[in-house]
Amino acid sequence: MPLNRRTFLGTSAAAGAGVAIAGASAVPASAHGQGHGGGHGRPPKRYSFTVMGTTDLHGNVFNWDYFTDKEFDDKAHNDVGLAKISTLVDQVRREKGRHNTLMIDAGDTIQGTQLSYYYAKIDPITAKRGPVHPMAQAMNAIGYDAAALGNHEFNYGIPVLRKFEEQCDFPLLGANALDAKTLRPAFAPYVIKRMRTPHGPDVKVAILGLTNPGIAIWDKANVSGKMVFPGLEEQAAKFVPRLRSMGADVVIVSAHSGSSGTSSYGDQVPYVENAAGLVAEQVPGIDAILVGHAHLEIPEYFVENKQTGKKVVLSEPLKWGQRLTLFDFDLVWEKGRWVVEKAGSQVLNSNTVAEDPKITGLLADEHKKVVAYVNQVIGTSTAAMTTAEAAWKDEPIIDLINVVQAETVKAALAGGAYAALPVLSQASCFSRTAQIPAGNVTIKDAAGLYPFENTLEARLLTGAQLKDYLEFSARYYVQTAAGAPVDTAKLTNADNTPDYNYDAVSGLTYEIDIAKTNGSRIVNLSFEGKPIDPAAEFVLAVNNYRASGGGNFPHVAGAKQLWANSEEIRNTIISWVQAKGSVDGAQFASVDWRLTREGTPVF
């Protein structure tokens, strides 16, 4: 598929090399300083401005959960969506003066809800005379100045991303998203905005966009041979001095990369996944970093640059439009240039405001179409199933994923060289609120059970490798001594392991002894009632995220690929339910694994 690449010198990257004016009217000196002087006893010239930031919007425009088809709510009563963010943005602009503000995003914009899925796959923006993506419409209406690329931008392939880019009135930035052949930026690396001051000289604000090197693994099928993704630190070290030499008074990095310095993909790529803190520490000349990717809330966090000793302010607003970051910069005119005197950050909570009717009105029709789509009935279920306890019990609803995956792989391998091998399947509890109701089953029920756009693969593993795989997965549980009380609220997510990185494997039976240390927890691992043969070969039905190294599970990324499919697992589940007509847990549910302590079941 051609890249349709518009390089640094091309039209798309004009923003990367160009300069834009933010605000056309000057503000009175009293608003941001005391007079126009700077010497002979006069007070120095000063100017303040604010940069607002969002990240990990994941297709959220409305305060709506398409997986439950009702208003979004969680335990903390957070709200979501760009309609709420728009109200906060308007408030900040009224307070500060629009010309004294900029609006940026740190990526993961076009994947995550059924709204964004619908306009990528059901009524795609890439179609001839296709629609404008709801996220582009909303972000254009709000008036974003720039957005960094997130890894999920690549989930639907480069043509969808390029169409989205074309529909945005602001540049998508990715200084470390390079054309694989030329190694030149495939997107605008940066944009420079001019802030007009009451003192004559403009403030030049450079926004550098950096994305996640993990794209090379997670979306290998979409980017291999087309784009490469070097580390954030090395690209920042290349571009920040260039931006300073071009006269940038303030340098802000929008990074789709967490701040922790950790990686979930081990040594599969030589770059750090969560590198924002390292960028601040290693690259001189940065004033602030808008952090993304980690889905954490960091109102204000300072990192000292090792070379200069200067403190760089980092902030990460909570995902899905739950928070809006405000970076406030105070500048002073010194020796013929603007210098950042003070920089700080805070976050605003979107549950404190109403949705902006400008945004909800703009996209009311799109919202209605998607609500109608997710409510389509695909079959029935004989009983209700839920994931409420699936993080610590083998539940029928997770067995449903596994039976669909295993049957699909068996059918694909039938008649071939590997048809006689037993097929196992892995699945995760992606959401603890997913449910299949008794009675009618809809698209939204299947989508809630499998919210990611993962596809299915078959990999060849040995019994010994499967034991290692399960031991790695079992690190998810907090070590709990035999006889000690078990609190399910504190039992899981050891070492911040997310739910989607705990796999249950069907087709085997095993116990996880949570009283034991990591690496020695898998007990009584059996296949068809007998201890597993370490040398025996098995086929593992596995999602492409895991198969490509996501989560850094052992063996699977290097295992022989026997088959791969381009159809999303969610759609495979929908088709399976449609073909069966009815889901009957009694026909496929089985307790293959359980938590134990010294042989005694925990539950």
Side-chain angles (χ1 to χ4, degrees), residues 92-151:
V92 173
R93 284 171 175 162
R94 277 197 301 274
E95 182 193 336
K96 311 276 185 184
R98 179 166 183 143
H99 41 274
N100 300 316
T101 66
L102 294 171
M103 180 74 195
I104 64 175
D105 183 82
D108 274 7
T109 305
I110 60 169
Q111 178 278 336
T113 63
Q114 288 295 285
L115 181 73
S116 51
Y117 177 80
Y118 189 88
Y119 288 98
K121 289 296 186 102
I122 309 300
D123 184 10
I125 60 172
T126 46
K128 246 187 181 174
R129 294 187 291 281
V132 177
H133 200 290
M135 295 303 285
Q137 291 192 57
M139 293 171 86
N140 290 343
I142 290 167
Y144 274 77
D145 292 288
L149 293 162
N151 52 287

